[in-house]
C-alpha cells in the first residue's frame, strides 16, 4: 500500500481486489471460515475489536439487511460507530461470506498482521453495493 493513499482510494483498491471474489461459499466452508477468524483484533494495544453481525431495518418499508463488523469493545458491549471494517448485504449468508473474504483480503494486503490492525485507517466499508446502502439506514449512517 502506498503511504500517501487516502482512505477512499484504499477502500476502492481493496474493493476492486474483491470484485470477482466468490461469496457463495457452501455452508461448511462458511462455518469453517468464520470459526477461523480471530476472536479479536487489537489496534496498537489501545483498543480491542471483536467481530459481530447486526440485523437492521426491521421496518415494513425496508427489507432486513445485515452488517458484519469488527467493532471496538466498549464498557457496555461493542461499538457500531468505532470499527475497523464492515460489510453489508441483504442476506446473512452473503454477509458472512463477504466478511470472511474481506478479512482474508486485509490479511493478504498485510493490513492485519498477527491479530493486529496495522492499516492507517479505520472504518473501512468493503464490498458494499448501492442497494445495500439504499436498504439500510444504519449503513447510510455509519
Amino acid at each position: 500500500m502506498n503511504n500517501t493513499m487516502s482512505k477512499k482510494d484504499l477502500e476502492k483498491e481493496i474493493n476492486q481486489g474483491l470484485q470477482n471474489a466468490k461469496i457463495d461459499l457452501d455452508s461448511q466452508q462458511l462455518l469453517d471460515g468464520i470459526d477461523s477468524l480471530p476472536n479479536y483484533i487489537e489496534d496498537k494495544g489501545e483498543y480491542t475489536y471483536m467481530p459481530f453481525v447486526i440485523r437492521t431495518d426491521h421496518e415494513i418499508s425496508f427489507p432486513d439487511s445485515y452488517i458484519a463488523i469488527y467493532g471496538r469493545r466498549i464498557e457496555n458491549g461493542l461499538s457500531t460507530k468505532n470499527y475497523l471494517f464492515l460489510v453489508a448485504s441483504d442476506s446473512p449468508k452473503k454477509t458472512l461470506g463477504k466478511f470472511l473474504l474481506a478479512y482474508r483480503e486485509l490479511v493478504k494486503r498485510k493490513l492485519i498482521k498477527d491479530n493486529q490492525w496495522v492499516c492507517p485507517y479505520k472504518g473501512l466499508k468493503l464490498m458494499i453495493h448501492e442497494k445495500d446502502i439504499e436498504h439500510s439506514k444504519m449503513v447510510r449512517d455509519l
Side-chain angles (χ1 to χ4, degrees), residues 105-122:
E105 183 71 15
L106 291 167
V107 169
K108 184 173 99 178
R109 291 174 179 267
K110 297 180 175 31
L111 298 172
I112 300 173
K113 294 181 189 174
D114 300 323
N115 296 352
Q116 298 290 315
W117 185 255
V118 294
C119 179
Y121 305 109
K122 295 181 189 108

Side-chain angles (χ1 to χ4, degrees), residues 11-26:
E11 281 178 334
K12 185 177 178 181
E13 184 179 285
I14 293 169
N15 282 318
Q16 284 174 340
L18 290 164
Q19 189 171 339
N20 297 319
K22 179 182 178 268
I23 61 169
D24 286 336
L25 303 172
D26 72 41

Side-chain angles (χ1 to χ4, degrees), residues 82-111:
N82 296 302
Y83 59 92
L84 300 177
F85 71 96
L86 67 76
V87 301
S89 189
D90 59 356
S91 87
K93 187 173 179 183
K94 278 197 278 187
T95 303
L96 291 175
K98 285 182 174 186
F99 193 63
L100 182 58
L101 294 171
Y103 172 81
R104 289 177 177 168
E105 183 71 15
L106 291 167
V107 169
K108 184 173 99 178
R109 291 174 179 267
K110 297 180 175 31
L111 298 172

